[in-house]
Each structure stands twice: as C-alpha cells, then as structure tokens.
Amino acid sequence: MEAATSSPPLPQPPAVHASRFRQIRATDWLFAIAVIAGAGFAWSRYGHSMDGYDIAIFLFHVPLLIALGWAWRPFRPFAAVVAALALAGFWLYQGDLTRADQVFFLKYLLSSQTAISWMSALFFTATGAYWLGFIARASFAERTGNAMTWCAAVMGTAGLFVRWYESYLVGPDIGHIPISNLYEVFVFFSLITALLYLFYERRYNTRKLGIFVMPVISAAVIFLLWYSFTRNAYQIQPLVPALQSYWMKIHVPANFIGYGGFSIAAMVGVAYLLVSRGILAARLPKAEVLEDVMYRAIAIGFAFFTIATILGALWAAEAWGSYWSWDPKETWALIVWINYAVWLHMRLTRNLRGNMLAWWAVVGLFVTTFAFVGVNMFLSGLHSYGSL
Amino acid sequence: MRQSAKRASFLDDLIELLSSMRFAISLLTLLAIASIIGTVIEQNLPPNAYLNQFGQFWEQVFSRLSLYTVYNAGWFVAILAFLVLSTTLCVIRQFTPMLRDIRSFREQAREASLRGFSHRASLAPALPPEEQCAAASAYLKRAGFRFRVNEREGGTLIAAKQGGLGRVGYFLAHGAIVLICLGGLLDGNLPLSMQISLSGKKPVSGNMSIGDIPPSGRLAAGNWSFRGNIYIPEGQAANNAILNVDDGVLLQPLPFRVELKRFNIEYYETGMPKRYASDVVVTDNETGEAFERTLEVNKPFEHRGITLYQAGYDDGGSVLRFTAHGMTSAAHPPFPISGEVGAQIPLGKTGHSIEITGFRPFNVEDVSPPPGSGTNSQPETAMLGSGARAANGKNLRNLGPLYTYRLRDPAGQAREYNNYMQPVQISGHWYQISGVRSTPAGEISWLRIPLDEDNSVNTWFAIHQSFFDPARQAELVKRFTSSTADKDEKASLKTIADHLLGLFAQGGMAPINKFIETSVPKDKHEEAGEAFIQVLQRLIWDAWMMARESAGKAAMEPDETNAPFVRDAFFALTASQRYGAPLYLKLDSFEQRQATILQATRSPGKPLVYLGSLLLTLGVFAMLYIRERRLFVLLKQGEALVAMSSGRKSVGLEEIFARHREGLAAVLGAPHTT
C-alpha cells in the first residue's frame, strides 16, 4: 500500500486537530480544575465588588483559559508560574506601596517596573540567543532562546498583573487594568507577539523564525525603554472619563492580538522573500510552510482586529455618541483592516500570490505601526491617549 | 438580434468586471488611500486655517476636490457605492453555485476522478464486504462528517463532508459589508444634505436667538437621522438641538425638554478630570412624564429613539466681579467692573470693549522648570520598583481660578488675556499673573506683577503710574533729583530722568537700547546700559517710596531684602509696555455657573450596522477557521479507495488525511499503510 502524495514531506506538527476533545487526559482535567478553583477563590474574595459586565468578563475567562490550556499545553505551566509570581507579588506588598523599595523580592524581582525590566532584558537575551543559534548552527542556543522568550513572557505578564494591583494601591479610584496608555500597551504588545510566536514555533516545529520575529519584539522593547526614560511614561496614571468603560478590557487586548499577528506575518514575509530568492533557503523552513505561517498569523490577526474594531465602534457609540466619526485612529484602523482584507483576497487570486503576498505583508507592518504609534505621534483626534 | 447579443455580452463583461476579485482588491486599495488623505489633511477646519496652510492656489484646488471633507465627498461616497455594488454582485453571482455546493454531497463522483485526487489511498479491508459500509459510516459519523451512501454498479460510494459552514461564512461576511455600508449611509451626512436641498432648509449664520430662527432654519420634528448639540446652563432648560452645517446652524426640535439641575466635574489629585456628570430632568413633550437622570461619559440615556450623551461642558454665564487698574498714561483710580462670562462690556468713551470669554475655577499646572533641565528620571527609578511613584520632577499645583477675556480696541483688534485670580509663588516671591496674546493660536507672554507686603498689586500700580502719568512723573523726577543739593547736578539729573522715562514710555528697554546704539560710542555701550538701568532702578525705588508715603507707610532703607521687589517691578514695567491694554482686570469674587453640552443623536442605521458587525465577525471566523473537507470512501471488491479534497490547500491537510486513512484502515480491518 502506498500513500500517493505528491507534496514533499513536511515537518509534522503534533497531532492537534478536530479530534482533540477525544484525547483529553488526566492532566487536562487537572488544569481545568485548577482554573475553576482559582476562579472560585477570586469570586469568593472579590465577587461582591463586580458589576454585571465584570461578572460576564470574569465568567468568559474561565472556559477561555481552559481551552487555551487544552489546545496549547505549554500554556499551563506558563499560567501557573504567572499566577504564582503575581500572587507572591500581591502578598509581599501587604497593601503598602512603599514596600516596593524595601522588600528584596519586590525591589529586585516582582514589583511591576522591575518585572518589566526583567522582561526587557530577557527579550534581548532571547533575540541574541536565536541569532547565535542560527549563525553558529547551535540548536542549544535556539532552545535557550525559546526558554528566554518564555521567561520574558512570564515576567512581563506577572509584571502587568502586579502593576494592576499597584494601581489600586495608589488609590481605589485610580485602579484600572494596565492597558490604558502607550507604555502599558507596548508591554502588552511584546507579550502577545511573543506568545503568538511561541505558539507557532511549537505548531510548526521550527525555531528558525525566532531570528525574524524577536527583533520586532526587541524594537518594541527599545521603544518602551526610551519612552519610560525620557517621558516618565511608566507612572501609573488615572483614567480620564472616556476610558472608564468595561469595553476597554476587551477592545484593547483584541487589538493587540491583531497587531501581534500582523507583525509576525510581516517578519515571516521577510523570511519568505529571502527563501524565494534562494537566500538561506537550506537553513529556513520551506516557502510553502512560511506561506502557511504567514496566512495563519494574518488570519488570527485579522479575525481579532475585526472584533477589536467593532468593539471600538460600540465603545465609541457610548463614549462619543457615534460609532464611527472618521477620527484618525479609527480611520487608520480601517486602513489596516482593508490592507489585510486585500491580502486575504489576493491570496485567492492567481498571479498575485507568492512574492507579491509576502511584500504586501511586509508593507503591512509599516501600515500597522503607523496605526499603532504613528497616529499618536503625528495626528490628533479624539483617540489621543498616550500621545508622544 | 446581434445588437442585443452584443449588448448582453457587454453587460456580462461589465458584471464580470465589477464582481471580480481584482476589482474588489483595487476598490479596497483605493478606499484605503482615500482614507489616508482624510487623516493627513485635518478635516472640517475653518477655511482660513487651510488658506494659511496651503496658500491660495492649493487651498482652492483642494477645496474643489473636497479634501477638507473627504468622508462626505461625492467621490468618496462613490467609491463606497462601487464597493457595495461589487460585493452585492459577487454575492449574487456566487449564491446559486455555492448553495448547490453546500447541499451537494457529490455522491455521483466517478472512480476515475477520485483516483486523480492528490490525497488518496487504496486500502485492502479484511472486514466482510457487507459490514464494510456500516463500519466506514460509523467512523465518518464519529469523525464529525455528514455523508450520503451511493450504491452503484461495482461498489458503494460513501460521500462525506464537513465544514460546510465555511461557505456560509462567505455570505455572512460579504453581506455584512453591504449592511454596514448601508447603515452608515443612513447615519451619515446624506440625509441632512437631502433635507437641505429637497425641503429648502437653510442654515442660519450669525448671532441669532432661538426664537428668531425662521422655519427654513428649523428641521422637522420627525427628522429620523441627525446629530446635534444641546447647550444648557445650570438651572435652565432646552428643547432644541443645534446642528452645525457649513458655516451656519440648523435647529432640531426635540420631542422632550432637558433641564440641567447641576453639572459636576470631579478631578484626580493630579488635576486630571475624573468625572463629568450632568444631573438632568428630561420631560416628555406629549405625556409630560419626567425622568431624573445623571448623564455621564460612557453612560448615555435614550428617550424616544434619541440618545443623549455627555459631550462637553462650558461656562454657563458665571458672574465675575473685577477691580480694573488703569494702565494708560492718564491717571485713573481703580474702579469696579462686573459681568457674566459671555458678556460684552463697553469701556466708557475710549471705544474699547471687554468680552469675558471664560472662567475655570480649577487649574492644575506643572509649575516645574520646562523639560530638558534635568527632569528625566534616574535609570533606577525607571527600572526598579513600582509603577506608582510620584511624578518625578513634576510639581503639580492647583493655581486656582483662571479667567479669560478679550479686549477689543476701537479699531476692532482684539487681544486675549488669561489671568489667574490667586497670586502665584515663583522662586519664593509672590506675583499676580496675567498672560496676553494677540492671536488665538499665538504664544502667551506673561506679565508678573510683584505683590507688596499686603499681598496687593496696589504698590506696583502706583509705581506704574509714577512712571507713565505725566503729573506723577514730574513729582517722581523731583524726588529723584532731591538727592543732590547742587543745582547743575540737579538739572543734569532731571534731564537724564526725563529723557529715560520718555524713552521707557515709548516701549520699555527697546528704545533705550536703540538710543544707546545711536548716540553712545561703541566701546561704552555696556557701561551706558548699566548706568541707565541703575537710574531706572533708582527711579523705581523712589516711586516705591512715594507710594508708601501716600499709603501712610514708613519709608525703608534700600538693602538686600527689598532688592527683589525693585527688580521684579522693573521687569513688570518692561513687560507692561507689551501688554497692550488700557487696564488690568483683577478678579475679586465670582459666582460660578456651569453649562453642559450634550449630544442628541438619532441614528436609524445603528441596528443595521450592529447586525452587520455581528454577521461580519461570525463570517470572518467561519471563513478563516472552518475548513470544508470532503472525504470519499469507495468500497469495491477487495479494495477500499479513500480520497480527500479540501477547499483550500494547506500545510496540515496531508496529516489530516493520514489520520482519516489510518482510522478507516483500522475500522475496515486493513493492514497499516505506512
């Protein structure tokens, strides 16, 4: 018997597909129970101070976390370590902000600024490790890069949670989710992009793309550091009335899954262009694999960006009285959306595939970056939170 | 016959073009570029702003191309219309074939074509032939396929498929685009411009009270699409919304009346606004029913299909009471003035008038030195610790009430003044601060009036008068020359003082410097300048002592402690030459009255847009994440042919096929294939 296939053998991803729910193992249940127990604990402590929207978002997160853990096994230790570190941070604070400078573990590990600094350092190290691994053909260095990226994501996520807690210590009326200004969303962007990349790295079983994706994250971190040194941007600021809305909790994260996906796609596009010209072709994944990664990154980015833009419209309708007012940020969100809608259409059109598609994804990064930071820098409008 | 065939084929070609993917790609790209223009050129500014920015020629060109209102421009709406047309045609054209495809199981597929699939395998089942079909069907069902069995000559074909919803996603997503565009059209500018052109409405411009607006300036009460603002001072009510159209306004009657009880602003410690809230009573015109509500940002209120939003706030006519200090050469004792914000107060015979433009009781400012002078954070504070540190290098302080007014001279030229009610401390000394600028966007230059020991500006104004009022000036010069008994010296001192004061009154230090340049040898410039400043400071000192005398206070000895006042008085006198106002208004007391600005909106397209958004989300996810797959199992004598096809080629497909191949091999009792 022979399996008649014409396509070349591809790196085999682990079997995770339609039948996944039939392979639930004991550890899966354990994870689910841990999530539910954690949620129950949170509910017993803070349930009384949640309003209807908080409860809805809270309940939505339980199945979401379980599904993530089931679909992506490394997410479980990640979630566990982040939870442990964040809780340790809360506990060490004991409700007193000044302890950030007195308690050793807070000052040098867990207070939000420190944790985010660790994240920055680890992202740089990871970038270096991936490049070293690529240049020296050392898979050990690549594995180190992978581990460093995970550690960076852990520190960054824990740091954001601690920052969230700190904001309530500043004042109960000031406390808010740390995705409200440019500094906080840059941390968030680095995290989401790193996690998405780690997902694809495992899914496609290749560590070669780190040399392309990690520089984008490093660039974001460099911007972050510049921004916090020169503009004191790291200070927790209270929310202006327009931002005091439960929509923020879902609009902003959805947006950054979009931005993260698009950045990864652009960098994979660079790899594709190199491979299609025969540069490093032997060392990088095959062009059709790269095309597939690019497609999946754009697909997830586009789907979430669509949601984010719609949520933004719903929010705008409530805050500004109109779901669409052609404000520069809104308009640029539309431009980004159109850009990737075009990409998805081009993919289905003969003659426009291949290099053209890769170029379009690369250019898309510039469009996305402009929508992300450029609008705040150069244009004014309603959406000018965290201006430069 | 031929003619019509030709026409038909032309129409076909046209439809073909309009509904083609390439056309859609081009349209989307065009839309993106057009949108960029609208963000680069700031929209809806007053015409003068564009004239300054682009110059006369390009201002005209851009205006013709409607680049100042891109998103309402005919050509922009035309692009959108083409997009809707193209998408609609595409959906219509795809509808029948896709529907057929969704319904069909392709159970008639021929063996030869199955053998041509790139994903296929031939198994040798050990299971008895009569059990094979049931076993394979059971597997397919478990694996989430729907299938149809086709008994045919020479075997049985089980045609299975899954993921048909992906195709439905296509209709959802593309139909959603059409819905959203249509909904947006209903809520856009089009309904209003149609009412203006069809029912002869005419925006009114200029100052006009609401009662005087003619019927042509009023929109119908039943108007089903509008967006307007309502301005209500505290304690007052409004039942009309104002729509800004071009340079004028249109009045939109509302089916209810909104009364503002109170407007609340709360601030954080940093001076950032925390909450804007209007306590209003909405009374229905027909039923008389009244609702007491608090409108806040992010918390709108809807009544009779009209949504009210907290959009802004303003002063609602606060009453301000001032003392006016004269700053002209003609002596004038301080006198009281009062008025409401928004009022215009003529100033006696001078032809000047004051327009009180604004009042803000709470102003938190960063009073630290400007950035670049060491305010950057230390690396350690940015890298370690909590994100909650006090602002580094920032010195936030509430400077108290700020009042602004415009002073219009007889020629109609206006200057804008920004004054703080409370004195401000700068480097240990207290000042009364007033800012002036001659254009609305210009830079403010500040006059810092030093306060005397009673915390009053009176001393400085007395010095000011001694400097510029001819009668007092003579007295000042007399006192200045009294330091010497020598007659000649007295005369020369008088000459110098008169000359200097004369020059100073022409514009501060500038005329004095010019005089030095023209009449003193170059190498003596510095020396002369210092000497003149010393004379001026001496004059200030004498004027100060004169002021103290007339206020009944003891004279003082010139020493270190009172040098700063002389210096500040000198700077303030210099700055007062650029102040450009005949008087300075000092706020003594106020009664604040605020006003809220609400937005009233009726948007009939909103349900369509929201429905479209929901469909779009579902459609996008279905299209991207539901893969249509067809699996065919042809059971023949001694062979089971398995073949799979998928809508789109993707990398994981081979692996999925392998899994189904193995699964089927297992249930059919066939040996493993790999």
Side-chain angles (χ1 to χ4, degrees), chain B residues 650-663:
Chain B
S650 76
V651 168
L653 199 60
E654 177 56 32
E655 180 211 330
I656 294 162
F657 176 66
R659 214 179 52 239
H660 289 311
R661 187 184 64 211
E662 295 308 309

Side-chain angles (χ1 to χ4, degrees), chain B residues 323 325-327 403 405 419-420 422-426 429-435 446-452 455-464 564-565 567-573 575-576 579 583-586:
Chain B
T323 303
H325 293 268
M327 291 184 80
Y403 53 105
Y405 55 89
N419 296 5
Y420 287 97
Q422 289 166 7
V424 175
Q425 194 185 28
I426 301 167
H429 302 285
W430 291 91
Y431 304 89
Q432 201 73 44
I433 300 236
S434 173
W446 296 98
L447 171 66
R448 304 202 290 204
I449 303 173
L451 297 187
D452 58 22
N455 282 329
S456 146
V457 293
N458 289 343
T459 302
W460 184 81
F461 274 101
I463 296 172
H464 185 274
F565 185 86
R567 183 201 62 208
D568 291 337
F570 171 65
F571 285 138
L573 285 173
S576 76
Y579 195 62
L583 43 74
Y584 162 78
L585 292 186
K586 185 178 178 312

Side-chain angles (χ1 to χ4, degrees), chain B residues 347-368:
Chain B
L347 280 179
K349 304 175 284 274
T350 62
H352 285 81
S353 67
I354 295 172
E355 297 155 21
I356 306 174
T357 49
F359 175 71
R360 273 205 340 239
F362 191 78
N363 293 280
V364 172
E365 303 280 345
D366 180 7
V367 292
S368 59

Side-chain angles (χ1 to χ4, degrees), chain A residues 1 4 117 173 236 239 317 323, chain B residues 118 122 187 268 274 309 383 385 387:
Chain A
M1 298 286 139
S117 300
D173 61 335
I236 293 172
L239 293 180
Y323 54 80
Chain B
S118 60
S122 175
D187 291 342
Y268 295 106
K274 178 175 167 184
Y309 300 89
M383 299 291 285

Side-chain angles (χ1 to χ4, degrees), chain B residues 536-549:
Chain B
L536 282 171
Q537 285 185 341
R538 182 63 205 277
L539 283 165
I540 290 172
W541 175 262
D542 286 335
W544 186 6
M545 292 310 115
M546 272 163 64
R548 287 183 71 86
E549 256 169 42

Side-chain angles (χ1 to χ4, degrees), chain B residues 179-364:
Chain B
L179 275 183
I180 290 172
C181 287
L182 291 179
L185 203 63
L186 291 182
D187 291 342
N189 211 29
L190 197 66
L192 184 66
S193 20
M194 276 174 65
Q195 282 181 67
I196 291 174
S197 58
L198 292 182
S199 46
K201 299 294 179 195
K202 218 171 138 234
V204 288
S205 46
N207 278 334
M208 201 183 273
S209 73
I210 282 179
D212 296 339
I213 292 179
S216 70
R218 292 165 186 264
L219 293 163
N223 184 6
W224 47 275
S225 174
F226 64 84
R227 167 165 300 122
N229 287 325
I230 317 174
Y231 168 91
I232 321 167
E234 280 175 331
Q236 294 186 31
N239 54 3
N240 288 293
I242 308 286
L243 278 66
N244 289 310
V245 187
D246 301 327
D247 297 333
V249 297
L250 282 171
L251 205 64
Q252 171 65 55
L254 300 171
F256 50 74
R257 179 172 169 277
V258 192
E259 187 192 343
L260 180 68
K261 291 274 182 205
R262 206 181 124 72
F263 181 75
N264 309 290
I265 312 185
E266 290 167 26
Y267 297 93
Y268 295 106
E269 270 176 42
T270 60
M272 266 173 70
K274 178 175 167 184
R275 180 168 175 259
Y276 304 119
S278 305
D279 296 330
V280 297
V281 181
V282 176
T283 313
D284 192 282
N285 282 356
E286 257 177 52
T287 62
E289 215 178 334
F291 309 87
E292 222 165 294
R293 286 286 185 282
T294 301
L295 299 177
E296 280 184 63
V297 180
N298 276 316
K299 287 174 192 159
F301 168 66
E302 190 181 319
H303 183 60
R304 290 204 181 251
I306 294 170
T307 317
L308 294 176
Y309 300 89
Q310 179 66 53
Y313 66 97
D314 203 344
D315 193 278
S318 301
V319 181
L320 309 183
R321 292 185 200 89
F322 308 101
T323 303
H325 293 268
M327 291 184 80
T328 51
S329 55
H332 205 307
F335 60 97
I337 290 186
S338 69
E340 284 180 6
V341 171
Q344 197 160 357
I345 307 165
L347 280 179
K349 304 175 284 274
T350 62
H352 285 81
S353 67
I354 295 172
E355 297 155 21
I356 306 174
T357 49
F359 175 71
R360 273 205 340 239
F362 191 78
N363 293 280
V364 172

Side-chain angles (χ1 to χ4, degrees), chain A residues 39-232:
Chain A
F41 175 70
W43 177 259
S44 70
R45 291 287 301 265
Y46 304 110
H48 58 272
S49 57
M50 295 185 190
D51 64 16
Y53 301 107
D54 291 331
I55 293 170
I57 293 174
F58 176 71
L59 291 180
F60 167 74
H61 270 85
V62 177
L64 180 78
L65 287 176
I66 294 176
L68 261 174
W70 284 8
W72 184 27
R73 285 170 195 274
F75 181 76
R76 301 173 208 186
F78 170 77
V81 177
V82 166
L85 286 179
L87 288 171
F90 301 171
W91 180 74
L92 284 173
Y93 264 117
Q94 297 181 351
D96 179 9
L97 264 179
T98 55
R99 285 172 63 88
D101 296 325
Q102 297 154 4
V103 180
F104 180 83
F105 279 107
L106 279 181
K107 185 167 183 185
Y108 293 105
L109 188 70
L110 287 176
S111 62
S112 68
Q113 267 338 98
T114 313
I116 288 165
S117 300
W118 275 110
M119 177 200 82
S120 311
L122 286 162
F123 272 137
F124 289 139
T125 322
T127 312
Y130 274 113
W131 272 96
L132 186 71
F134 187 77
I135 293 166
R137 301 179 190 234
S139 74
F140 173 74
E142 286 175 349
R143 280 204 303 280
T144 310
N146 172 276
M148 292 289 153
T149 311
W150 273 112
C151 292
V154 164
M155 287 315 290
T157 315
L160 281 188
F161 277 117
V162 173
R163 187 180 170 93
W164 198 344
Y165 180 78
E166 284 167 2
S167 71
Y168 279 90
L169 292 185
V170 175
D173 61 335
I174 289 176
H176 59 84
I177 187 170
I179 45 174
S180 69
N181 61 30
L182 206 55
Y183 173 81
E184 290 166 343
V185 297
F186 254 93
V187 178
F188 194 72
F189 168 78
S190 315
L191 292 177
I192 290 285
T193 312
L195 287 173
L196 273 175
Y197 166 69
L198 288 168
F199 176 80
Y200 289 121
E201 188 179 279
R202 185 178 147 95
R203 178 74 180 69
Y204 288 90
N205 201 16
T206 171
R207 299 220 166 93
K208 303 289 181 217
L209 294 176
I211 57 166
F212 294 100
V213 177
M214 293 310 291
V216 174
I217 299 177
S218 293
V221 170
I222 288 171
F223 177 86
L224 187 74
L225 293 179
W226 169 80
Y227 195 45
S228 46
F229 281 138
T230 62
R231 309 290 169 99
N232 294 332

Side-chain angles (χ1 to χ4, degrees), chain A residues 306-328:
Chain A
T306 307
I307 293 185
T309 309
I310 289 170
L311 290 175
L314 295 179
W315 185 3
E318 222 171 85
W320 303 330
S322 166
Y323 54 80
W324 198 263
S325 28
W326 294 105
D327 164 76

